[in-house]
Amino acid sequence: MSTAHELQEALEEARDMPDGDGKIAELERIAAHADAAGDVRLGYDARIDLIDAYNNHTERWRMLPAFGWCLAAYDRDPSMFEEWDGEQLRWYHKWAVATLRSTPRVGLAQTRSALDDMERRFRAGGHSMQTIYNLRCKIADHIGDEPEARKWFDLWRTAERDENSDCAGCDPSRQAELLAGWGEWDEAVRIVEPVLSGVLGCAEQPEKALVAVLLPYLKLGRYEEAAKAHVRAYRRHRHERDAFPFLPEHLRFCVLTGNTDRAVDILAEHLSWLDRPYDDASAMEFAAAGALVCRLAASTERVVHRPASENRAEADLTLPQLGADLAAQAREIAAQFDARNGTDHQSRRISLWMSAEPILESLELPPDQPTPSYMAEPGLPPEGRDEVVAPLSVQGITAALDDRGDRYYVDEDGTVGGQWGKGMLTFDRMGEQGEILHVRVVAQRRLPADRLMEAYAFCNAWNHDKLLPKAYVHDTGQGDLILAGDITTDLEHGVAAPQLAVLLHAAIVTSAQFSDEVATLP
């Protein structure tokens, strides 16, 4: 790996690797070779990919040196970079500052300095301060300075949004989390209503918003809504590894509403995730919520299997045994945060979590897996329905979307459609027998016609780096460009319901990502 061409080829191959230790090691190796060769641009590109890899592989604190290197390279010679590079750096600057709340391995003074530098750059570039207020609010809340956090919160809510702002569908959820932490139950529910009603959304919604209002719903006595919110959100979160930060709220909800067996089931199912958590903050909260479950469910005398991890042997633990381990882990991480912050806020917060008492003796939950329409055929044994291979049908598509909890419409011609993220998706049956599943996404963001070559470049880059969807540009002839994509799957021999669910989920997630990236174009 000595020539620039070989290094570039290696970088392209590394980008296609799955997230994990192997990808990180390869990108670090390429960055080192680029530095040795004096190739600043390649070193920059490798580190940008490293930032993504660190973020996706639950090692977010490791992005800081890479980000600092990229920022310094950009400052030294801005002429080497495109306008898009500057926009990407502003986005990653947010990530760098946000690591403070996710891990105690980052210094408080270091983070504040990075945020001050970020604000200076935003003001010089004429950007909105909305993102700056967002970050200052969250940092103040994290260290326990509620008056300061509320001051920044009001500025965050009223400042004008711009291209650097967080997702419009996710901002209300994050604000609701803060309001719930301050005991503002009514306001927490009110602020996410646009998300819950479908006015605002993204690929992570409404499940993220539903988790944010679980405790407010309970405190307000809206028990049926709380039960539905938990079941719907967990139906998705149980399968997504990056949903680990939401699991503590699911655990707390179950055990505080008398659903102790379900709480233990969830704890046991995801306990291994604690060995490779999303970040330190979510590990602390999961361990604290798990300790609460173990304390309140101790009378059930259940035993939980804990898998082996590094130097820890596998073991079958009673709830008191497991609870003691989890409580110790939660307290240790909280103490690390507090030592870094110079406060005792996290330790006090986690102690309150672990000492909580039930809100309700019992709360009936709706069915965890509602019976979709494809399982309604009479005479078919329940244990075999998931294995049935049947022709592609509108009912099968809507059943899969129902299981996900999605909102959608069905046209008279059988087209199923809806909005996911910043894109409109349609699901059609094509072919002579309706055997071909065709998914089309149209990004909400349109570009002016004079940016045609840029639009082509974006779609070509997407098609080179991504499998789904196939992206293309449509010139309306009326002065603007539509960026769209499609996914076609031949199901001539039929499809089983679980297989169709996987296909639709992949289509929705990748199409929403495509639309979101179109929205971030300059």
Side-chain angles (χ1 to χ4, degrees), residues 35-89:
D35 292 349
D39 192 331
V40 175
R41 181 69 223 204
L42 184 61
Y44 178 95
D45 291 339
R47 286 177 172 85
I48 287 293
D49 289 322
L50 265 174
I51 293 171
D52 270 325
Y54 291 143
N55 186 65
N56 296 337
H57 196 49
T58 70
E59 296 178 333
R60 304 171 73 185
W61 69 91
R62 295 181 63 187
M63 74 172 65
L64 296 177
F67 171 76
W69 191 99
C70 290
L71 192 63
Y74 185 90
D75 287 343
R76 282 195 304 271
D77 187 5
S79 65
M80 185 184 299
F81 302 93
E82 303 292 336
E83 183 179 355
W84 165 248
D85 293 311
E87 294 188 0
Q88 187 176 41
L89 274 179

Side-chain angles (χ1 to χ4, degrees), residues 438-441 467-472 484-488 511:
H438 181 257
V439 183
R440 185 170 189 260
V441 55
L467 290 175
L468 304 172
K470 178 183 178 182
Y472 53 89
D486 59 26
I487 303 168
T488 302
S511 296

Side-chain angles (χ1 to χ4, degrees), residues 295-443:
R295 179 174 67 82
L296 295 181
S299 62
T300 65
E301 299 185 354
R302 290 187 56 178
V303 173
V304 174
H305 180 76
R306 190 168 199 185
S309 177
E310 296 182 354
N311 296 326
R312 189 190 69 229
E314 65 175 339
D316 292 322
L317 303 175
T318 65
L319 292 183
Q321 289 172 327
L322 177 59
D325 290 346
L326 295 177
Q329 183 173 358
R331 292 191 184 99
E332 179 182 2
I333 300 174
Q336 292 170 356
F337 273 116
D338 287 340
R340 189 272 309 274
N341 298 338
T343 69
D344 64 350
H345 176 66
Q346 293 300 323
S347 294
R348 286 189 291 107
R349 186 172 72 93
I350 292 305
S351 178
L352 288 173
W353 274 34
M354 294 191 294
S355 61
E357 294 297 332
I359 297 174
L360 298 172
E361 289 186 9
S362 66
L363 176 63
E364 183 178 354
L365 302 179
D368 195 6
Q369 291 296 336
T371 302
S373 58
Y374 72 81
M375 294 178 69
E377 299 90 344
L380 191 62
E383 64 273 11
R385 287 172 177 158
D386 272 354
E387 319 309 324
V388 171
V389 175
L392 177 65
S393 66
V394 174
Q395 292 77 14
I397 294 171
T398 57
L401 297 179
D402 286 339
D403 282 354
R404 284 173 44 90
D406 292 319
R407 293 183 175 89
Y408 59 87
Y409 63 85
V410 183
D411 282 345
E412 292 182 0
D413 62 0
T415 295
V416 181
Q419 179 177 340
W420 283 266
K422 294 179 172 60
M424 297 299 299
L425 274 71
T426 54
F427 306 86
D428 286 296
R429 295 160 60 242
M430 302 177 66
E432 294 182 1
Q433 306 296 325
E435 75 280 10
I436 297 174
L437 173 64
H438 181 257
V439 183
R440 185 170 189 260
V441 55
V442 177

Side-chain angles (χ1 to χ4, degrees), residues 18-38:
D19 290 317
D21 294 329
K23 181 174 185 175
I24 288 173
E26 179 63 7
L27 288 170
E28 289 175 340
R29 189 159 66 97
I30 294 168
H33 278 275
D35 292 349

Side-chain angles (χ1 to χ4, degrees), residues 159-180:
E160 182 180 356
R161 295 178 52 82
D162 66 3
E163 68 277 5
N164 302 303
S165 298
D166 285 346
C167 167
C170 290
D171 251 5
S173 300
R174 298 188 178 104
Q175 292 166 355
E177 291 170 3
L178 288 164
L179 289 166

Side-chain angles (χ1 to χ4, degrees), residues 135-213:
L135 292 168
R136 292 200 184 281
C137 171
K138 292 175 181 175
I139 290 174
D141 178 74
H142 172 77
I143 64 177
D145 190 345
E146 185 177 327
E148 184 77 0
R150 285 180 177 272
K151 179 188 77 173
W152 293 116
F153 183 86
D154 291 338
L155 292 170
W156 172 18
R157 289 182 61 181
T158 56
E160 182 180 356
R161 295 178 52 82
D162 66 3
E163 68 277 5
N164 302 303
S165 298
D166 285 346
C167 167
C170 290
D171 251 5
S173 300
R174 298 188 178 104
Q175 292 166 355
E177 291 170 3
L178 288 164
L179 289 166
W182 301 334
E184 302 281 353
W185 314 121
D186 282 305
E187 185 62 13
V189 173
R190 189 197 67 78
I191 206 167
V192 295
E193 179 53 35
V195 180
L196 299 179
S197 64
V199 175
L200 295 174
C202 73
E204 297 184 16
Q205 298 293 0
E207 290 80 7
K208 182 185 289 188
L210 291 171
V211 170
V213 294

